[in-house]
């Protein structure tokens, strides 16, 4: 490969990397996400409804607590100006300790439920289990499993707002329950006889 051809090839590769990085990360490009038409309060209700529906599909039920509802401001990547839109999301933390076998079953149940609800499951990672899904109306859901087996289930949707990124007033979520020693219980509840076997 001569010098001129090598430079052209390098420039083309650089342009492709830049373009693909921008398309995946630029908030100013809409892609296949529909424009939001609801406000933040309505978005919180929809997010909570998605999480409620997911947990109702799990039997026997799990113990959980809600994290705060949060909104994340969307800015145009080229101008760095607010678009008048935010993403509203909430994480729900599973507090029932899960064995590996039950965790696999749980993920299967959640995937089946989300597919029935019209979600396209877009990623799955078997090494550190995580699942995400998106619907045609702009709702997104996800499950992630931490290194200690802690499970988070989350949902988000776009909303109209000129607000900046912050927790949403009045949607602080649940307080950490107290452990037997009186301190906050950061770990899952005592073993549930069904889920831990």
């Amino acid at each position: 490969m001569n010098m001129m051809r090598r430079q052209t090839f390098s420039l083309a590769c650089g342009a492709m990397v830049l373009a693909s990085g921008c398309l995946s990360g630029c908030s100013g490009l809409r892609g296949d996400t529909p424009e939001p038409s609801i406000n933040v309060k309505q978005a919180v209700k929809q997010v909570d409804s998605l999480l409620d529906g997911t947990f109702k599909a799990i039997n026997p039920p799990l113990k959980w607590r809600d994290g705060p509802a949060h909104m994340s401001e969307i800015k145009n990547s080229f101008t760095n100006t607010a678009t008048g839109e935010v993403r509203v999301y909430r994480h729900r933390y599973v507090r029932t300790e899960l064995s590996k076998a039950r965790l696999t079953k749980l993920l299967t149940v959640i995937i089946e439920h989300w597919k029935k609800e019209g979600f396209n499951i877009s990623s799955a990672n078997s090494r550190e289990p995580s699942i995400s899904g998106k619907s045609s109306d702009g709702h997104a859901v996800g499950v992630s499993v931490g290194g200690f087996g802690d499970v988070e289930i989350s949902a988000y949707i776009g909303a109209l707002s000129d607000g900046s990124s912050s927790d949403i007033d009045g949607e602080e979520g649940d307080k950490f329950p107290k452990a037997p020693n009186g301190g906050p219980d950061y770990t899952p509840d005592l073993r549930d006889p069904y889920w831990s076997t």
Side-chain angles (χ1 to χ4, degrees):
M1 188 183 286
N2 65 30
M3 183 62 96
M4 184 65 136
R5 208 179 267 173
R6 199 175 314 161
Q7 285 177 337
T8 305
F9 178 75
S10 297
L11 286 171
C13 286
M16 285 172 56
V17 168
L18 185 62
S20 63
C22 188
L23 286 172
S24 64
C26 290
S27 55
L29 302 175
R30 179 157 299 286
D32 59 355
T33 304
E35 285 190 39
S37 59
I38 58 175
N39 62 35
V40 170
K41 195 170 185 180
Q42 292 168 324
V44 170
K45 285 184 180 178
Q46 290 193 25
V47 162
D48 287 344
S49 178
L50 276 171
L51 292 172
D52 289 343
T54 301
F55 275 80
K56 281 178 187 169
I58 300 165
N59 193 26
L62 298 171
K63 294 175 183 175
W64 51 269
R65 73 169 188 87
D66 270 335
H70 188 86
M71 66 180 185
S72 180
E73 181 182 22
I74 298 173
K75 290 188 176 183
N76 184 294
S77 296
F78 299 108
T79 63
N80 199 34
T81 56
T83 62
E85 299 176 18
V86 294
R87 286 193 182 96
V88 174
Y89 60 91
R90 191 192 296 275
H91 294 277
R92 188 168 282 184
Y93 303 95
V94 173
R95 298 187 60 249
T96 301
E97 192 167 350
L98 301 168
S99 67
K100 285 187 178 179
R102 297 298 184 189
L103 177 58
T104 301
K105 181 177 179 180
L106 173 66
L107 296 176
T108 302
V109 167
I110 290 173
I111 289 171
E112 287 174 0
H113 169 72
W114 284 347
K115 283 183 176 177
K116 284 180 190 173
E117 294 294 307
F119 284 91
N120 179 30
I121 306 304
S122 56
S123 67
N125 182 343
S126 57
R127 210 170 30 173
E128 288 181 7
S130 63
I131 306 161
S132 61
K134 201 166 188 179
S135 64
S136 59
D137 58 2
H139 290 77
V141 287
V143 180
S144 62
V145 181
F148 295 101
D150 48 318
V151 179
E152 294 179 16
I153 301 177
S154 57
Y156 84 76
I157 187 172
L160 297 171
S161 173
D162 291 325
S164 57
S165 299
S166 64
D167 287 342
I168 298 168
D169 288 339
E171 296 293 343
E172 289 79 14
D174 302 320
K175 292 182 179 178
F176 280 110
K178 294 291 182 183
N181 64 4
D185 183 5
Y186 293 99
T187 58
D189 284 327
L190 296 174
R191 287 181 176 269
D192 182 298
Y194 179 85
W195 286 106
S196 60
T197 56

